[in-house]
Amino acid sequence: MKMNRLGSSDLMVSEIGLGCMSLGIDEKVAIPLIHEAIAHGVNFLDTADIYDDGRNEELVGKALKGRRQDVIIATKVGNRRLTGQEGLRWDPSKQHIKNAVKDSLRRLQTDYIDLYQLHGGTMEDQIEETIEAFEELKQAGLIRYYGISSIRPNVIREYTQHSSIVSVMNQYSLLDRRGEEEVFPSLHEHGISVIARGPVAGGALADGRDDKALKGYLEYTPEQIKEIREKLAAFVTEERSMSQLAIRYALSHPAVATVIPGASSREQLLSNIGASMTEPLTDKEKDKLRRLTRANQYTQHL
């Protein structure tokens, strides 16, 4: 498995990581999948405090008992559930971040988090206060580095200029290329890595998932997804499936350090990991693939 440096940190992350959100809550399924991933060279595990109301972090912690030194744990903070209220409340305050990290450490059964990420962000936040919280956690040794998970260019720009983030988690695939021109070059220039989530576009680019194509994806209609899948078939070989092609595309941008496809079965997991053993895409292939899709533009006010 190829390892890449995460931004300006000393963290070397596997180019294929594991997005733990899709593992489910059955530890008889989830824990063996985590162990299998590690056995195949995956060392970057991403979770969040709100996944399955904290149960996801607990499963990751249980799976890593006795092998903490073999992995890099990334988790997230910023959303919270309030007793008696439905949904989530956004809270990037210093108080919440410094309280929430203690709960994550307990659930993960560790005394430090390698990468602590703000799980969102808006321009209305008290950003200086949020940055202070992460910096103080670093000084206390509770986290090694921090980053943000965001698709908002203005928010990303603010943290790029005023914090010591080492990474930005961004949704990125052939069907969602919003960051390619506006965000990724600047991050690369500043030595900040992209963690690419959703490389198979919610299953729309996954092997044998015509059912996902029927639902469409972002601005793409089901008919357009079907047409794209048919055209992508020309790039699929015995050595490289459609899912692996999609993962390879996400990895092809120089700003991307790791991709974190999810897996709910051993078959999915091994297919994802297998992308690391396929040849990188050539510039010619990347150009052809881009012509099959379009670079989405940010349409919302950011």
Side-chain angles (χ1 to χ4, degrees):
M1 178 75 70
K2 182 185 177 187
M3 297 287 169
N4 296 317
R5 185 176 300 279
L6 190 69
S8 58
S9 75
D10 62 359
L11 302 177
M12 298 299 292
V13 297
S14 52
E15 65 174 359
I16 309 292
L18 178 60
C20 296
M21 183 175 68
S22 59
L23 291 174
I25 59 174
D26 184 349
E27 67 178 59
K28 292 181 180 178
V29 175
I31 291 177
L33 284 175
I34 294 173
H35 290 170
E36 183 97 31
I38 296 171
H40 283 84
V42 172
N43 81 335
F44 185 76
L45 306 181
D46 176 77
T47 181
D49 57 1
I50 59 168
Y51 293 167
D52 297 316
D53 290 327
R55 177 62 175 155
N56 196 260
E57 284 186 332
E58 290 176 350
L59 287 172
V60 171
K62 192 168 184 178
L64 297 181
K65 222 168 183 181
R67 51 179 81 190
R68 175 66 179 91
Q69 71 283 356
D70 299 328
V71 299
I72 290 168
I73 298 177
T75 192
K76 309 182 197 75
V77 65
N79 294 290
R80 57 188 300 198
R81 298 188 189 279
L82 298 179
T83 304
Q85 296 184 21
E86 292 186 4
L88 297 169
R89 176 188 167 195
W90 176 239
D91 187 354
S93 67
K94 180 188 287 192
Q95 180 179 0
H96 174 62
I97 292 171
K98 297 188 80 169
N99 286 335
V101 73
K102 299 173 186 176
D103 292 328
S104 286
L105 290 168
R106 173 181 51 79
R107 288 189 291 261
L108 290 164
Q109 299 186 48
T110 184
D111 54 7
Y112 69 94
I113 293 166
D114 298 291
L115 180 67
Y116 205 32
Q117 301 161 101
L118 184 67
H119 204 172
T122 74
M123 292 303 293
E124 287 70 47
D125 297 342
Q126 297 295 317
I127 293 177
E128 288 185 9
E129 177 186 331
T130 301
I131 293 172
E132 282 180 8
F134 284 111
E135 291 290 346
E136 289 174 13
L137 291 179
K138 272 182 66 178
Q139 293 170 10
L142 297 179
I143 67 173
R144 296 175 68 187
Y145 299 97
Y146 65 97
I148 63 171
S149 175
S150 176
I151 61 170
R152 296 175 178 268
N154 290 347
V155 172
I156 293 171
R157 192 176 301 117
E158 193 72 15
Y159 278 88
T160 298
Q161 295 173 351
H162 300 293
S163 77
S164 58
I165 60 170
V166 298
S167 63
V168 172
M169 182 175 292
N170 201 270
Q171 183 167 293
Y172 181 47
S173 71
L174 264 170
L175 299 183
D176 189 357
R177 293 163 41 212
R178 288 174 287 182
E180 275 188 350
E181 295 182 4
E182 186 173 2
V183 176
F184 291 9
S186 174
L187 292 177
H188 191 51
E189 181 182 340
H190 284 84
I192 298 169
S193 288
V194 172
I195 299 169
R197 63 179 177 86
V200 295
L205 300 178
D207 305 313
R209 293 307 303 270
D210 293 321
D211 61 318
K212 288 290 185 180
L214 293 175
K215 298 180 181 179
Y217 185 74
L218 297 179
E219 299 171 357
Y220 291 97
T221 65
E223 293 75 21
Q224 289 172 326
I225 298 277
K226 182 180 178 182
E227 182 181 353
I228 289 169
R229 286 178 64 91
E230 290 172 351
K231 291 178 178 178
L232 287 178
F235 296 84
V236 173
T237 67
E238 289 185 3
E239 291 78 28
R240 184 176 64 196
S241 69
M242 187 175 295
S243 293
Q244 292 169 344
L245 174 70
I247 290 171
R248 264 294 161 205
Y249 181 82
L251 279 171
S252 69
H253 197 287
V256 174
T258 182
V259 299
I260 52 167
S264 56
S265 70
R266 185 172 186 267
E267 181 183 20
Q268 278 185 324
L269 177 67
L270 295 181
S271 174
N272 295 340
I273 293 171
S276 68
M277 293 176 274
T278 63
E279 288 294 320
L281 299 178
T282 65
D283 289 340
K284 189 174 182 179
E285 285 178 315
K286 286 185 283 186
D287 288 341
K288 287 182 177 179
L289 289 169
R290 289 189 187 105
R291 286 197 290 270
L292 294 181
T293 60
R294 61 177 180 269
N296 311 78
Q297 299 299 314
Y298 288 96
T299 56
Q300 67 266 50
H301 177 71
L302 301 173

